[in-house]
Amino acid sequence: MVNTFEYDFSQQQNSVWKGKTSFSTGLYIDGKFVDGAEGKTIDVTNPADGKVFAKVSEATAKDVDLAVQAAHKAFKTVWGLRFPGSQRGKLLMKLADLMEQNADELAALESLDNGKAFATAKGFDVQQAAETIRYYGGWCDKHHGKTIEVDEHKLAYTRNEPFGVVGQIIPWNFPLLMFAWKLGPALATGNCIILKPSEFTPLTAIRMAHMIQEAGFPPGVVNILTGYGATAGSAISSHMMIDKVAFTGSTLVGRTVLKAAADSNLKNVTLELGGKSPNIIFDDADLEQAIKWSAFGIYFNHGQCCCAGSRVYVQEGVYDTFMQKFTEHVRALKVGDPFHPETFQGPQVSKVQFDRIMGYIQKGKDEGATVHLGGEQHGEEGYYIQPTIFTDAKPGMTIVKDEIFGPVVVVIKFKDEADIIEMANDSMYGLAAAVFSRDISRALKTAHDLGAGTVWVNQYNKLHYQVPFGGYKQSGIGRELGEYALANYTNVKAVHVNLTAEL
Amino acid sequence: MAPETSSIFHDLQLPSGRRVQVPTGLFIDNTFHLAVEPSETFETINPVTEAPICSVQLASEKDVDIAVESSRKAFETVWGVHAKPTWRGQLLLRLADLMERDAQSLAELESLDNGKPVSAARDFDIAESIACLRYYGGWTDKIAGQTIPTDDLNKLAYTLHEPIGVCAQIIPWNYPIQMWAWKTAPALAAGCTVIMKPSELTPLTALKLCELIVEAGFPPGVLNCLPSTGPIGGAALSRHMDVDKIAFTGSTATGRKILQEAAQSNLKKVTLELGGKSPHLIFASADLDKAAEQAVLGIMFNMGQDCCAGSRIYAEASIYDEFIEKVAARAKEFSAKVGDPFADDTQGGPLVSAGQRDKVWGYIQSGINEGAKAMVGGKGWDGKGFYLLPTVFTDIKPGMKIVKEEIFGPVVAIGKFETEKEAIELANATTYGLAAGIQSNDHRQIHRVTSALKAGTVWVNQYGILHNNVPFGGYKQSGIGRELGSYAISEYTNVKAVHWNFS
């Protein structure tokens, strides 16, 4: 029996939106909402109070098979290049419009499921997600191949073809936004999709399935399977009939995805993994701005951001002033009910995450770093953690090396350029980095020397869907966003038409 | 005698019974105005009844000055780099939606002013125009420059693709709405402001579309529209010292004047889409039924009032006799469908004006006088309306006027060739180079011939079908620059190279 999720947001006392939602929470396969083959369900927990408030169908390997079959059928009959680019674009535009029309509902669902502030979900997540879909809608009829001059005997050209059926596994930190980042380029290039949202945050993905149906995408083009990584996720990574898998999540799981792809059919793989991004504050930085951006850089989304600036390096000349003002600023951050309009930081997404972060905080203390601010649970109920600052941290420490994925920053003092580049790059990760300095030459030189896929100068955590994003080193393979993302979903065919060459 | 009261709106009853209010003033800063000299007007004529539809204000040089000032101000304050690319795209998408909403009434107005069948205006001209606006709406946030690694390691070298600025656009009367879309869409997408001068023969839909510009949300001054004549408004725009670029579609003779004016004034950028005398080559291996069908449509569509009309057909000697019979049959079928533009099954209407009709009739007479044989048509029209029925000339010789000059009417000249080499020579023996067609089933021949033809568009086993994402423009005296596709965006951008030394 497929459940229907119903919720009246007026029960959220502090919410500015008091609307209702009601939709079926089955697996979306071949244009229909169905039960999982094994009839099991997944509990959905509200991280603000730790209570289960919904159940969604659970997909296992059998369901992945069914979805793959539906996707292949759709690809062979109604989708792919057979469905013209401008028409694919129209559907994506329609989907973006639907998202904007239902922004409050999507934001409220996201907030309830993930714990992020409703104001942020609406003003950032939903808005950006809709615009990302619209952005890729515009790419559909503009993905040109090339004609290439070789010699007079031949007409040589490339065709940008879709892979066919692609698997996409997305995380729980920005459920709707990650959905859009994945869906947009894959559909723009003509692929059919099997998408597995995180078992921790399935709701907006399922609601999107309804909108995809409403927008008029043919059945089988997009399939949404809520399930666990070890079962449904693994089935996708190792499926012999899925031609490509895109994964965003931890480096640990990314490894298993790559291995599964290698062991099965050598499917194309792109990965967006973890980070331990360095944020460098030189003594000629605009300190007030640097402090604000740095706080945003680590505490935005409760630190649950792959590109979070979790190692802040402050040049010794301004270290004391920075620490004093930064601490003041962080102390004033509002932690609380996601539905309260003034909340900046809500709870962490789950008990598992909560325990892991608290574990790191303990480790930090054990290894001799100083808890300068925070370090405890916030409140009694739910998975809230106080914004935490560690000082006196040294390079080998766990909290300096490992990705914590919570509202915990280490602040380290440094001497000069020579010193800092090595320290900043001393990580297996390479997702992002930032440089604060009023001397643009210094900033650019530093930026160019940092081993990271995104480098901010005098800013942090501001992305744009037109600009590519992805990791160096163990932070990932491939780039999302911008025109670059199209390459992730394109099989390039070179056609050599022999005109006059003879043997 | 009291001066005639000029108004800036006119209530029209269309032949369908629909009433529509047509603006008849100058459109500047999002409002309709009287000209500085409001008694200066011109009439637009209904080519079916030969009666005037209404009077329209005639913009003079003084009005051009006012419009340019408005465009410049908009460019420097609310458009160009001051308008976020994504937002520019949203406005174009909204404009497309509005055009779609009003498609039927716009089609009827277009038909009334131009004479083309309502069904063609709606299902072809306007449908393609809507798609064109959507296509360019998707480009706005995808216009990327380059970052370039130079030999100087301390330099950041990059290009910015900036909008050119204030662009004058002069469009013809053969596809008023579609030419409007082809011009405005890439210009606005790239961030330029536009001063549109529609043809004095067909100003009404351009003016009506200005209402949609306001409704879509474009800021004042972004698009201004000046109904005027070529010698007055067009010339004033060509020589204006503060217009950064002029784009013109029309006759080669006028194109020359515009280029001269641009050179003499401020060396503004110029793109031109001019005339053609496009050859359509029919080889023996072709499917003659399809070829005849496409060849006839290739010249008779829009009653031959098409810059890329296939107005010279050359058939291989061995299939010549059979081919011309098929052409004659289809031409006669087409003739039977010439009639009332407001009737559903009409395929062709009158020519746009008495002047055009007289010009075309002059060519028909010249053909007969110079010894060509009118296999179909060759007669005048009895009764009201600027009609001329299709004429097919055979027994042609290279020197004849009907073979050398652009007729711009439903008149085709068919000749014969013995060898492929001769076909190519005949095809290229023209100062024009807009388009060409080849009907053949020999792929090597197709490649040889398409490589040898000096034309900006070559159709293989097709004729006259364009797409918004494929570029279109002329070789030789058929024009400068390209419209449509990504190429049109380049025509509205200025490349700035920045050499940022940060050593």
Side-chain angles (χ1 to χ4, degrees):
Chain A
M1 250 306 298
V2 178
N3 285 351
T4 299
F5 173 64
E6 276 172 349
Y7 195 91
D8 186 340
F9 284 91
S10 60
Q11 68 188 275
Q12 289 292 340
Q13 310 274 34
N14 295 316
S15 181
V16 301
W17 188 66
K18 308 272 195 210
K20 295 201 204 11
T21 185
S22 169
F23 55 94
S24 114
T25 54
L27 309 178
Y28 183 62
I29 300 178
D30 205 15
K32 294 191 274 298
F33 289 90
V34 297
D35 220 347
E38 293 184 26
K40 296 196 285 192
T41 57
I42 299 175
D43 286 341
V44 188
T45 305
N46 178 353
D49 60 16
K51 300 199 173 77
V52 173
F53 68 96
K55 286 184 194 306
V56 305
S57 300
E58 182 191 338
T60 53
K62 181 103 209 301
D63 303 296
V64 173
D65 282 337
L66 290 171
V68 171
Q69 256 174 60
H72 266 289
K73 178 157 143 261
F75 185 71
K76 281 193 176 56
T77 58
V78 301
W79 200 242
L81 296 179
R82 174 178 303 108
F83 198 92
S86 62
Q87 301 300 312
R88 293 201 295 276
K90 271 178 94 170
L91 289 178
L92 284 167
M93 301 301 186
K94 177 92 170 91
L95 185 61
D97 288 344
L98 286 172
M99 289 168 77
E100 283 172 351
Q101 283 157 30
N102 294 288
D104 282 311
E105 186 193 349
L106 281 170
L109 283 169
E110 191 85 315
S111 207
L112 188 65
D113 205 357
N114 165 283
K116 66 177 74 204
F118 172 81
T120 307
K122 182 160 181 208
F124 173 72
D125 296 65
V126 174
Q127 190 54 44
Q128 288 297 306
E131 288 186 21
T132 300
I133 295 287
R134 186 173 290 120
Y135 172 78
Y136 283 104
W139 267 121
C140 299
D141 52 5
K142 302 174 178 64
H143 191 36
H144 312 138
K146 297 185 204 268
T147 58
I148 303 155
E149 193 180 341
V150 178
D151 58 34
E152 73 272 23
H153 298 297
K154 179 174 278 195
L155 170 64
Y157 63 92
T158 58
R159 254 168 74 95
N160 284 337
E161 300 188 351
F163 276 104
V165 177
V166 307
Q168 304 186 312
I169 301 168
I170 60 176
W172 46 258
N173 57 345
F174 294 92
L176 186 65
L177 190 59
M178 294 296 99
F179 186 96
W181 281 27
K182 291 278 186 287
L183 211 84
L187 290 178
T189 46
N191 292 280
C192 290
I193 297 171
I194 319 276
L195 187 146
K196 188 199 89 57
S198 165
E199 60 270 31
F200 292 104
T201 53
L203 294 183
T204 45
I206 300 171
R207 187 65 186 88
M208 284 300 293
H210 289 271
M211 285 191 220
I212 283 163
Q213 193 185 51
E214 197 184 331
F217 285 87
V221 171
V222 181
N223 303 282
I224 310 286
L225 271 50
T226 43
Y228 292 98
T231 49
S234 172
I236 289 171
S237 311
S238 48
H239 208 285
M240 294 301 287
M241 299 278 288
I242 289 179
D243 305 301
K244 188 253 165 46
V245 66
F247 170 82
T248 296
S250 68
T251 295
L252 194 68
V253 177
R255 253 185 240 290
T256 62
V257 171
L258 193 54
K259 280 195 198 139
D263 287 338
S264 57
N265 63 347
L266 277 167
K267 55 174 64 59
N268 188 288
V269 181
T270 46
L271 304 171
E272 287 282 349
L273 307 175
K276 190 73 183 184
S277 304
N279 180 2
I280 302 166
I281 321 278
F282 282 105
D283 53 22
D284 62 358
D286 175 342
L287 215 54
E288 230 179 275
Q289 282 298 304
I291 284 161
K292 289 182 177 158
W293 285 110
S294 300
F296 185 68
I298 178 60
Y299 299 113
F300 175 64
N301 214 45
H302 329 170
Q304 299 170 135
C305 208
C306 46
C307 55
S310 46
R311 292 182 285 149
V312 176
Y313 293 94
V314 185
Q315 199 164 24
E316 55 190 13
V318 291
Y319 181 87
D320 292 333
T321 320
F322 177 89
M323 278 315 299
Q324 190 223 322
K325 296 196 167 152
F326 182 66
T327 309
E328 231 176 86
H329 181 91
V330 175
R331 219 193 286 275
L333 294 174
K334 291 206 166 26
V335 182
D337 174 12
F339 283 92
H340 192 290
E342 286 174 34
T343 296
F344 171 77
Q345 181 177 317
Q348 307 307 121
V349 77
S350 67
K351 181 105 183 35
V352 170
Q353 288 303 314
F354 176 86
D355 289 341
R356 182 174 290 153
I357 298 161
M358 294 308 292
Y360 276 114
I361 291 174
Q362 188 56 49
K363 208 73 203 268
K365 292 177 190 164
D366 293 344
E367 289 183 348
T370 306
V371 176
H372 181 83
L373 183 74
E376 308 288 329
Q377 176 176 15
H378 170 98
E380 314 264 302
E381 201 186 42
Y383 312 129
Y384 295 86
I385 297 179
Q386 296 171 344
T388 300
I389 304 175
F390 271 104
T391 52
D392 302 323
K394 299 209 173 11
M397 289 182 181
T398 309
I399 57 168
V400 177
K401 288 178 19 179
D402 287 12
E403 183 180 40
I404 298 172
F405 224 66
V408 180
V409 72
V410 296
V411 185
I412 297 171
K413 192 186 297 192
F414 76 93
K415 203 161 167 331
D416 56 30
E417 263 103 320
D419 193 13
I420 189 56
I421 298 295
E422 222 182 289
M423 273 208 278
N425 287 339
D426 180 20
S427 167
M428 68 180 207
Y429 293 113
L431 190 52
V435 183
F436 285 85
S437 168
R438 278 195 182 87
D439 179 346
I440 192 64
S441 299
R442 181 187 219 179
L444 290 181
K445 277 205 199 130
T446 308
H448 294 178
D449 285 338
L450 288 166
T454 291
V455 183
W456 281 287
V457 175
N458 295 330
Q459 190 174 69
Y460 210 99
N461 264 347
K462 261 289 198 245
L463 297 176
H464 310 272
Y465 39 79
Q466 309 97 314
V467 183
F469 177 84
Y472 279 32
K473 303 191 283 190
Q474 297 189 41
S475 283
I477 293 173
R479 290 294 174 271
E480 299 205 90
L481 299 185
E483 185 179 3
Y484 293 75
L486 301 178
N488 296 337
Y489 296 98
T490 300
N491 238 343
V492 177
K493 172 182 287 172
V495 182
H496 299 243
V497 184
N498 179 26
L499 302 161
T500 54
E502 285 184 351
L503 295 175
Chain B
M1 187 172 98
E4 205 182 303
T5 309
S6 311
S7 87
I8 50 177
F9 292 97
H10 181 89
D11 278 310
L12 268 187
Q13 171 137 24
L14 297 162
S16 61
R18 180 191 301 269
R19 297 204 73 90
V20 69
Q21 187 186 64
V22 196
T24 55
L26 278 43
F27 182 73
I28 302 177
D29 280 332
N30 276 8
T31 47
F32 292 97
H33 304 267
L34 291 171
V36 166
E37 288 300 327
S39 57
E40 294 296 316
T41 61
F42 64 95
E43 274 181 343
T44 181
I45 310 288
N46 177 338
V48 170
T49 62
E50 301 187 24
I53 299 170
C54 61
S55 287
V56 178
Q57 293 283 293
L58 198 160
S60 68
E61 191 160 359
K62 291 203 185 96
D63 299 297
V64 167
D65 285 338
I66 295 169
V68 172
E69 214 181 294
S70 148
S71 297
R72 174 63 59 198
K73 177 152 162 258
F75 183 71
E76 302 292 347
T77 59
V78 298
W79 203 240
V81 299
H82 307 284
K84 275 213 284 227
T86 305
W87 181 61
R88 293 202 301 268
Q90 283 171 346
L91 293 178
L92 284 165
L93 293 177
R94 177 111 179 92
L95 184 61
D97 288 344
L98 295 174
M99 201 186 269
E100 194 166 45
R101 179 194 70 190
D102 297 348
Q104 181 66 28
S105 65
L106 284 167
E108 291 179 18
L109 187 59
E110 182 90 314
S111 187
L112 187 78
D113 210 2
N114 165 282
K116 68 177 69 208
V118 173
S119 59
R122 180 193 58 230
D123 302 335
F124 175 73
D125 295 47
I126 291 172
E128 287 299 306
S129 301
I130 294 162
C132 182
L133 291 170
R134 289 197 172 124
Y135 174 74
Y136 284 105
W139 261 122
T140 59
D141 52 9
K142 301 173 178 66
I143 302 170
Q146 304 176 356
T147 61
I148 303 151
T150 65
D151 292 354
D152 182 348
L153 301 177
N154 287 320
K155 176 178 282 194
L156 178 61
Y158 59 93
T159 58
L160 293 172
H161 289 193
E162 300 185 344
I164 289 180
V166 174
C167 298
Q169 303 187 318
I170 301 175
I171 58 175
W173 47 258
N174 58 345
Y175 295 92
I177 292 177
Q178 196 174 15
M179 293 295 98
W180 189 94
W182 280 27
K183 290 272 184 296
T184 59
L188 294 173
C192 295
T193 53
V194 167
I195 303 179
M196 167 62 64
K197 189 204 92 56
S199 166
E200 57 268 39
L201 294 178
T202 54
L204 298 182
T205 47
L207 287 166
K208 192 70 181 157
L209 287 169
C210 293
E211 292 179 345
L212 299 188
I213 285 279
V214 177
E215 197 182 341
F218 286 87
V222 170
L223 186 140
N224 293 324
C225 184
L226 301 177
S228 188
T229 60
I232 300 177
L237 287 167
S238 308
R239 352 171 244 273
H240 206 286
M241 295 301 286
D242 201 27
V243 167
D244 301 305
K245 177 210 164 85
I246 186 157
F248 169 81
T249 295
S251 71
T252 297
T254 307
R256 238 184 253 289
K257 288 204 197 96
I258 289 176
L259 194 54
Q260 281 163 353
E261 300 271 24
Q264 258 155 290
S265 54
N266 64 345
L267 277 167
K268 55 174 62 62
K269 312 271 178 289
V270 181
T271 49
L272 304 171
E273 288 280 350
L274 307 176
K277 191 73 183 184
S278 303
H280 198 164
L281 305 177
I282 321 292
F283 288 91
S285 66
D287 176 334
L288 292 186
D289 283 315
K290 284 198 185 129
E293 174 108 28
Q294 290 166 5
V296 168
L297 263 183
I299 176 61
M300 299 309 169
F301 186 75
N302 214 43
M303 299 311 287
Q305 300 172 119
D306 194 313
C307 47
C308 60
S311 49
R312 293 182 292 144
I313 301 174
Y314 296 102
E316 194 161 354
S318 58
I319 46 96
Y320 176 84
D321 292 330
E322 192 189 343
F323 182 74
I324 59 171
E325 289 304 326
K326 291 182 192 287
V327 166
R330 277 181 188 63
K332 287 181 185 140
E333 269 169 35
F334 189 94
S335 299
K337 293 270 167 65
V338 173
D340 172 15
F342 275 76
D344 276 332
D345 60 351
T346 298
Q347 281 185 12
L351 301 189
V352 75
S353 68
Q356 283 302 116
R357 187 268 321 273
D358 293 341
K359 190 155 160 251
V360 175
W361 179 240
Y363 278 110
I364 292 173
Q365 292 189 304
S366 140
I368 293 167
N369 292 340
E370 286 189 323
K373 172 167 158 233
M375 205 182 171
V376 175
K379 301 186 196 47
W381 173 270
D382 278 324
K384 259 215 157 13
F386 308 132
Y387 289 90
L388 275 178
L389 288 177
T391 296
V392 178
F393 277 114
T394 57
D395 294 346
I396 62 171
K397 288 187 179 37
M400 292 177 176
K401 277 179 78 167
I402 57 164
V403 176
K404 287 176 33 173
E405 295 177 28
E406 185 180 40
I407 299 173
F408 226 68
V411 180
V412 69
I414 310 187
K416 191 189 295 199
F417 65 87
E418 299 286 344
T419 65
E420 180 184 296
K421 183 161 175 285
E422 192 192 341
I424 292 169
E425 274 166 15
L426 284 167
N428 287 338
T430 167
T431 55
Y432 290 116
L434 190 51
I438 160 175
Q439 303 279 345
S440 166
N441 278 303
D442 176 347
H443 76 285
R444 284 176 175 169
Q445 178 174 64
I446 289 169
H447 187 76
R448 280 193 305 267
V449 176
T450 54
S451 303
L453 288 169
K454 294 194 172 20
T457 291
V458 179
W459 280 286
V460 178
N461 298 330
Q462 190 178 69
Y463 204 92
I465 314 282
L466 296 175
H467 308 274
N468 288 309
N469 55 0
V470 180
F472 178 84
Y475 276 41
K476 303 195 288 189
Q477 295 188 36
S478 282
I480 295 173
R482 289 292 175 270
E483 299 204 87
L484 301 184
S486 60
Y487 296 73
I489 297 276
S490 312
E491 306 284 10
Y492 287 94
T493 50
N494 246 340
V495 178
K496 174 183 286 172
V498 180
H499 298 244
W500 189 331
N501 177 29
F502 58 90
S503 64

